[in-house]
């Protein structure tokens, strides 16, 4: 799977993914009104507004980008209707030729992780038939339970040609409470990085592994260290833009070949129309504002590579 993503990154010259992580407050009023008129102020109405919002952004950006990332929590908050919108968005992105990263941060004991891996990446057997649940291409995984919790995902990567991004050094302010703790003289995130490389060795796809790492743009010195430690590991890089990470901060996430990382931006793109920089587009043309935000992000990142 990682080789397919790399080909799309090379084709678009855009090492980025758009985070389709919508809050209802991001959706312009005219879109919300239309959905509420059709379904009422209900979970179904909210989920339809999210879906319509996503579709517009995808339509305006899909030719510019290789991938999207969907944070499942933003859909789960609307219950089953929200998950239907999540599934519809995944399918629509696939129709547009995009790689879909499911941001679900799953990870549990072995049998539970196996069920998560089946539901998000693989196929479930129902009698004589096999069905794909959410069917994303890549999934974020929490490694806190160790190999027992990660190996089932790696197994599905190998059987179904899928990919992972394992949390290593995250972009949030309190990440250091655990991740920076020293164990035998080394921070925990380095120990996790070592395990990610071990897991990844069992799922190589060309020069890079299908088992990638989440490495935040907000800690550039740590990303520099991790890049040296993990030369064959692809990085999913959150924290750019709205969280404070700059293009200069994240350049250390890339290898000398200009590959090795894909940078996510969520509200900086999907809610671009709310920013002063893009206010000329207005809520009615929020998709065009998102398109311009993608163009600006790509230019910004490529300027330091």
């Amino acid at each position: 799977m990682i080789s397919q993503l790399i080909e799309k990154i090379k084709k678009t010259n855009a090492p980025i993914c758009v985070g389709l992580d919508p809050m209802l407050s991001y959706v312009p009023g005219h879109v919300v009104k239309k959905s509420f008129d059709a379904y009422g102020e209900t979970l179904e109405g909210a989920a339809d507004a999210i879906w319509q919002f996503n579709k517009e952004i995808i339509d305006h950006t899909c030719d510019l980008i290789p991938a999207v990332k969907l944070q499942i929590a933003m859909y789960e908050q609307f219950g089953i209707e929200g998950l239907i919108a999540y599934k519809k968005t995944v399918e629509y992105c696939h129709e547009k030729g995009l790689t879909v990263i499911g941001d679900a941060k799953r990870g549990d004991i072995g049998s539970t992780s196996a069920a998560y891996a089946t539901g998000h990446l693989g196929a479930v057997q129902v009698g004589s038939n096999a069905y794909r649940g959410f069917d994303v291409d890549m999934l974020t995984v929490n490694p806190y339970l160790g190999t027992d919790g990660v190996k089932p995902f790696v197994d599905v990567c190998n059987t179904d040609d899928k990919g992972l991004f394992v949390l290593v050094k995250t972009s949030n302010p309190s990440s250091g409470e655990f991740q920076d703790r020293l164990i035998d003289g080394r921070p925990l995130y380095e120990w996790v990085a070592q395990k990610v490389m071990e897991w990844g060795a069992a799922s190589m796809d060309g020069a890079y592994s299908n088992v990638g790492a989440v490495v935040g743009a907000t800690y550039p010195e740590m990303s520099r260290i991790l890049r040296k430690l993990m030369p064959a590991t692809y990085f999913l890089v959150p924290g750019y833009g709205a969280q404070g990470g700059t293009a200069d901060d994240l350049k250390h996430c890339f290898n000398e070949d200009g590959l090795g990382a894909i940078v996510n931006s969520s509200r900086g793109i999907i809610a671009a129309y709310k920013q002063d920089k893009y206010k000329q587009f207005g809520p009615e043309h929020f998709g065009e504002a998102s398109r311009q935000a993608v163009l600006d992000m790509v230019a910004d990142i490529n300027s330091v590579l």
Side-chain angles (χ1 to χ4, degrees):
M1 175 51 65
I2 195 64
S3 64
Q4 295 179 41
L5 176 60
I6 290 170
E7 283 305 308
K8 291 176 184 179
I9 291 172
K10 288 179 177 178
K11 182 178 179 180
T12 56
N13 194 32
I16 75 166
C17 60
V18 171
L20 296 173
D21 307 343
M23 299 290 286
L24 199 57
S25 60
Y26 297 170
V27 183
H30 70 279
V31 177
V32 175
K33 183 180 183 302
K34 186 175 181 179
S35 294
F36 282 1
D37 286 347
Y39 300 102
E41 294 183 0
T42 62
L43 292 174
E44 188 177 9
D48 182 71
I50 293 296
W51 156 240
Q52 299 298 337
F53 178 67
N54 285 350
K55 186 174 181 295
E56 183 83 3
I57 291 169
I58 295 162
D59 286 344
H60 280 85
T61 62
C62 62
D63 62 315
L64 303 176
I65 59 175
V68 293
K69 180 190 75 67
L70 279 69
Q71 169 50 258
I72 199 169
M74 300 306 178
Y75 302 84
E76 287 177 339
Q77 65 184 322
F78 301 112
I80 298 302
E81 298 296 339
L83 287 176
I84 291 171
Y86 178 87
K87 175 65 172 173
K88 286 167 68 175
T89 301
V90 170
E91 291 176 344
Y92 193 66
C93 289
H94 281 154
E95 289 176 15
K96 296 295 185 179
L98 298 169
T99 295
V100 180
I101 302 166
D103 191 0
K105 299 180 177 70
R106 296 299 194 249
D108 211 308
I109 63 170
S111 59
T112 310
S113 276
Y116 279 138
T118 295
H120 288 273
L121 296 168
V124 64
Q125 197 69 31
V126 181
S128 59
N129 300 313
Y131 297 97
R132 294 193 173 273
F134 293 116
D135 198 26
V136 297
D137 300 302
M138 310 183 81
L139 190 72
T140 57
V141 174
N142 190 325
Y144 196 73
L145 276 76
T147 299
D148 291 345
V150 176
K151 187 178 183 298
F153 292 99
V154 179
D155 290 343
V156 173
C157 286
N158 291 336
T159 58
D160 292 67
D161 192 21
K162 297 297 181 92
L164 306 178
F165 288 108
V166 181
L167 303 181
V168 175
K169 179 57 187 172
T170 57
S171 60
N172 58 302
S174 65
S175 66
E177 291 178 358
F178 295 134
Q179 295 167 18
D180 298 356
R181 295 289 243 179
L182 295 183
I183 301 173
D184 295 337
R186 299 172 65 193
L188 177 59
Y189 65 80
E190 288 192 19
W191 289 103
V192 177
Q194 181 175 313
K195 293 303 294 185
V196 169
M197 288 188 289
E198 291 177 20
W199 297 325
S203 189
M204 294 301 296
D205 185 14
Y208 290 94
S209 172
N210 286 318
V211 182
V214 176
V215 178
T218 47
Y219 300 101
E221 287 308 311
M222 295 172 185
S223 65
R224 185 201 301 266
I225 292 167
L226 289 168
R227 182 72 281 165
K228 290 180 180 178
L229 287 174
M230 311 170 76
T233 303
Y234 231 82
F235 289 3
L236 172 62
V237 185
Y240 172 86
Q243 291 187 52
T246 66
D248 199 55
D249 290 334
L250 57 83
K251 67 183 179 182
H252 306 299
C253 294
F254 291 84
N255 281 317
E256 291 182 2
D257 59 5
L259 299 171
I262 185 166
V263 183
N264 178 74
S265 179
S266 297
R267 62 184 179 272
I269 290 176
I270 65 175
Y273 77 95
K274 289 177 171 282
Q275 301 176 36
D276 287 343
K277 184 177 180 180
Y278 305 107
K279 65 182 180 181
Q280 72 271 20
F281 293 99
E284 293 289 335
H285 301 284
F286 68 92
E288 294 173 31
S290 294
R291 182 179 180 84
Q292 187 59 53
V294 165
L295 291 168
D296 292 344
M297 179 180 176
V298 171
D300 187 34
I301 292 172
N302 283 337
S303 72
V304 301
L305 293 183

